[in-house]
Amino acid sequence: YIVCVCVCMCVCVGETVEFMTWLLHSLHQGLKGTAKEGSSVTSQTFQGSMNVHSRKLPPMTENPEELRRLLQHEEYKTTTQKVPFFFLTLDLPPPPLFKDEFDANFIPQVPLVELLSKFDGTQEKEYKSYKDIRMKRFELTKLPPYLILVVKRFTKNNFFVEKNHTIVNFPIGDLDMAEFLSSDPAVQDSHPFTKYNLCANIVHDGEPGAGKGTYRVQLHHRGAKQWFELQDLHVTNLLPQMITLAEAYIQIWELDTTPTS
């Protein structure tokens, strides 16, 4: 919860995720954490891992034989790297370009599971750099006790920041991450529990830009079995069904380790 509240203290929209990244890594290093897995309380709590499968795209050619020859080169073969993470970034679909018949922008909705399919190990995503273009696939190999999800709502260019207002539909509990785990038997056996319950939800309201938008934090009090909403110094009770109506930005999910009967 401290992480959740501290992130909301950042007033610049474009720096929120960067601030959270700095905070988590600073806590990790301050607690004598190293590159070794589980070397600090921070990594034991928030850090998971994934396999990143990457392949470089060859130059465009209309000659099938030349393309086949290029693909035989080592630099165009798929490589796999195990990468640790403190949070998962979810990509929203592009917002609609045109208004509806009532002269208003239609706000689309998308299920959280659809966004998480980025990590199912089958979907490829294109990544461009100044030197090449790569296709990457992601599959999770370790689920942390607390899973942080970041919805990528803001995009920057040289002139301004744009916000994607798409509503993400998600459950309050029983989010099953089993289908996003690697099919490796060792990975499957090491995860007897794969379901998560939402314990914190950070919402951004309004437009992007310093001084324009506001943040709200929605927290679940386990002892009271009650949801609360925090905004500045104001704390109010919150009905669970109201949580999914907001523009979720950052979420923290807690692994449910309750044995099933």
Side-chain angles (χ1 to χ4, degrees):
Y1 296 147
I2 294 176
V3 172
C4 197
V5 174
C6 286
V7 167
C8 283
M9 292 174 63
C10 182
V11 296
C12 297
V13 167
E15 299 176 355
T16 306
V17 176
E18 289 86 348
F19 175 76
M20 183 179 68
T21 303
W22 170 84
L23 176 63
L24 290 170
H25 282 88
S26 295
L27 289 172
H28 176 63
Q29 294 175 358
L31 294 169
K32 310 300 181 184
T34 63
K36 184 179 178 181
E37 188 175 295
S39 58
S40 75
V41 174
T42 307
S43 62
Q44 293 170 14
T45 305
F46 296 108
Q47 193 175 71
S49 62
M50 69 175 78
N51 285 335
V52 180
H53 307 282
S54 174
R55 62 182 179 90
K56 181 180 177 181
L57 293 182
M60 295 291 293
T61 176
E62 295 182 357
N63 189 332
E65 190 62 36
E66 183 180 357
L67 178 61
R68 193 177 302 108
R69 181 177 54 82
L70 286 171
L71 291 176
Q72 297 300 317
H73 292 179
E74 194 67 29
E75 66 174 312
Y76 297 113
K77 293 184 178 180
T78 300
T79 59
T80 301
Q81 182 181 11
K82 186 176 181 180
V83 178
F85 66 84
F86 275 122
F87 58 87
L88 299 177
T89 302
L90 308 180
D91 303 312
L92 289 173
L97 297 176
F98 305 102
K99 296 183 178 181
D100 59 20
E101 63 270 20
F102 300 105
D103 198 33
N105 284 325
F106 170 73
I107 300 179
Q109 301 185 28
V110 60
L112 177 62
V113 174
E114 183 176 323
L115 301 183
L116 285 169
S117 62
K118 168 183 177 181
F119 302 99
D120 64 4
T122 61
Q123 292 197 24
E124 284 191 320
K125 183 175 175 61
E126 184 178 276
Y127 289 85
K128 294 182 180 180
S129 68
Y130 69 95
K131 60 179 181 179
D132 59 29
I133 302 176
R134 290 185 175 272
M135 302 298 294
K136 294 184 179 182
R137 293 182 291 112
F138 309 92
E139 60 177 355
L140 305 182
T141 56
K142 180 188 176 185
L143 296 174
Y146 287 86
L147 177 66
I148 301 179
L149 302 179
V150 176
V151 180
K152 191 176 180 182
R153 290 198 174 277
F154 304 98
T155 54
K156 287 183 178 180
N157 58 32
N158 294 330
F159 305 100
F160 51 83
V161 179
E162 290 183 301
K163 180 182 177 182
N164 189 325
H165 294 273
T166 298
I167 298 296
V168 179
N169 297 321
F170 54 89
I172 301 300
D174 290 336
L175 174 66
D176 197 347
M177 297 292 292
E179 63 180 291
F180 310 112
L181 279 172
S182 170
S183 57
D184 185 342
V187 173
Q188 294 288 330
D189 293 341
S190 63
H191 290 84
F193 304 105
T194 57
K195 290 185 178 181
Y196 284 83
N197 297 319
L198 185 67
C199 61
N201 186 46
I202 298 178
V203 177
H204 181 270
D205 297 312
E207 296 302 317
K212 293 184 179 180
T214 58
Y215 287 102
R216 290 179 287 139
V217 185
Q218 299 164 339
L219 298 175
H220 182 252
H221 191 290
R222 185 190 300 172
K225 297 182 180 180
Q226 172 67 46
W227 280 90
F228 295 93
E229 183 170 273
L230 291 73
Q231 187 171 24
D232 297 329
L233 298 178
H234 302 283
V235 180
T236 57
N237 291 341
L238 182 66
L239 294 174
Q241 55 265 36
M242 300 298 293
I243 297 172
T244 59
L245 302 178
E247 296 176 7
Y249 183 28
I250 300 174
Q251 297 182 329
I252 301 180
W253 296 78
E254 181 183 18
L255 185 64
D256 186 353
T257 56
T258 305
T260 57
S261 56

